[in-house]
Amino acid sequence: MPQEPRGVAPVATTLAKLRAVAFYSLTGAIAIPLFVVMLAFAPPVILLDRYRRSAEHFWNALWASISTLPLYKTEVVGMENLPGAKEPAVYVANHQSYLDIYTLLANLPRPFKFVSKTSNFLIPIVGWSMYLTGHVGLDRMDRRSQIRLVNDCRRLLENGAQVLLFPEGTRTTTWTGGDNPSPVMGSFKKGAFSIAKKAGVPIIPISLVGTGNLMPNGKEGLLFPGSTKMVIHPRIDTEGRNPDDVLKEAREAIASALPAGSY
């Protein structure tokens, strides 16, 4: 049965708290000047690159890279499986940790849009930066918001942008047992696969490994030492296929790179 990760020594916990303070201090300090730069870039970007907003994404990626590089490294596998920078596609990834977005922004060299709670867009600096970059908001309790999400993603894809979704819908809350527990990937919802099917674009599965061990969900005040891995799997074409079958294939691809028993 899945369980919470085992407790760690008090010294390790204290060090993890200090690492988390260093992480949030660094990412906050970087966000302020970069947001000012993003504001300056916003008018020409919205005028000339309304949907992809590549220039704004560059500053997002730089922010994430500087925030994470001193604290943990990420091994990237499968870069050859990426679509072209201007080719519309839907990325789907497992969701273990608050660090997932940082890891993706820092290591996925494509100007993608991700889906986030609408309340996150109200967070000073960070949320405003998300708005300038054109990321997509979702209120999970509002049916109209869910319909807008589908329409917004389709509009982005039709105009050459790339979209990233976490088909689990939220971060994992369960763990494997044993001496080295790992986050357990949850079931997938069909939304991302239906969006890709209707837009006629491929699915690109991505496995995120280790982010949940560094910063477990619900313990964002801790950042343990270690490294992460990001595996980009071959594309899955959606044309002429049932979204349920695509979902199953994508989930199997993502699971293939995760520790045994964590899916």
Side-chain angles (χ1 to χ4, degrees):
M1 291 292 290
Q3 62 183 31
E4 289 295 322
R6 292 184 177 183
V8 294
V11 172
T13 299
T14 299
L15 292 175
K17 289 179 180 178
L18 292 174
R19 287 171 62 86
V21 169
F23 169 71
Y24 290 119
S25 298
L26 177 60
T27 196
I30 298 166
I32 296 171
L34 288 183
F35 176 69
V36 174
V37 176
M38 291 181 68
L39 274 178
F41 272 74
V45 166
I46 294 173
L47 180 64
L48 302 174
D49 191 18
R50 180 178 183 85
Y51 295 99
R52 296 176 64 247
R53 304 194 188 187
S54 300
E56 301 289 39
H57 178 85
F58 170 81
W59 301 112
N60 282 203
L62 180 63
W63 167 68
S65 297
I66 297 174
S67 298
T68 58
L69 191 58
L71 295 165
Y72 70 92
K73 304 295 188 293
T74 299
E75 177 190 2
V76 181
V77 177
M79 199 74 80
E80 69 278 5
N81 294 321
L82 284 173
K86 296 184 178 180
E87 178 185 357
V90 173
Y91 300 100
V92 292
N94 57 309
H95 202 10
Q96 301 183 350
S97 169
Y98 179 77
L99 296 178
D100 291 343
I101 283 296
Y102 280 87
T103 303
L104 287 159
L105 284 171
N107 296 283
L108 185 60
R110 293 292 184 269
F112 62 89
K113 310 297 175 217
F114 61 81
V115 176
S116 183
K117 294 186 296 184
T118 51
S119 57
N120 288 340
F121 287 81
L122 301 176
I123 300 173
I125 308 299
V126 173
W128 304 340
S129 298
M130 290 165 53
Y131 176 79
L132 290 177
T133 311
H135 296 300
V136 184
L138 171 65
D139 181 349
R140 295 190 183 96
M141 305 305 294
D142 185 348
R143 174 64 178 170
R144 291 172 299 178
S145 179
Q146 296 174 25
I147 295 172
R148 284 196 301 272
L149 166 67
V150 173
N151 292 334
D152 288 345
C153 288
R154 288 188 64 182
R155 188 178 304 109
L156 288 166
L157 293 165
E158 289 167 358
N159 285 277
Q162 299 177 353
V163 176
L164 181 140
L165 297 103
F166 296 109
E168 292 168 272
T170 188
R171 298 174 207 152
T172 185
T173 58
T174 54
W175 290 69
T176 60
D179 294 329
N180 297 296
S182 298
V184 177
M185 182 168 64
S187 59
F188 280 11
K189 296 177 173 60
K190 195 165 72 172
F193 307 94
S194 297
I195 289 170
K197 164 71 174 177
K198 291 175 182 177
V201 303
I203 289 284
I204 313 294
I206 296 177
S207 302
L208 295 173
V209 186
T211 54
N213 296 89
L214 267 61
M215 184 176 282
N217 182 31
K219 297 185 178 180
E220 284 72 26
L222 301 174
L223 176 55
F224 294 98
S227 60
T228 64
K229 184 176 182 179
M230 185 176 82
V231 181
I232 305 163
H233 300 278
R235 71 174 57 205
I236 302 173
D237 290 325
T238 59
E239 185 175 355
R241 299 193 60 190
N242 187 309
D244 289 320
D245 295 334
V246 177
L247 180 156
K248 181 180 179 182
E249 185 176 345
R251 194 177 189 284
E252 290 175 351
I254 293 172
S256 70
L258 300 180
S262 61
Y263 46 85

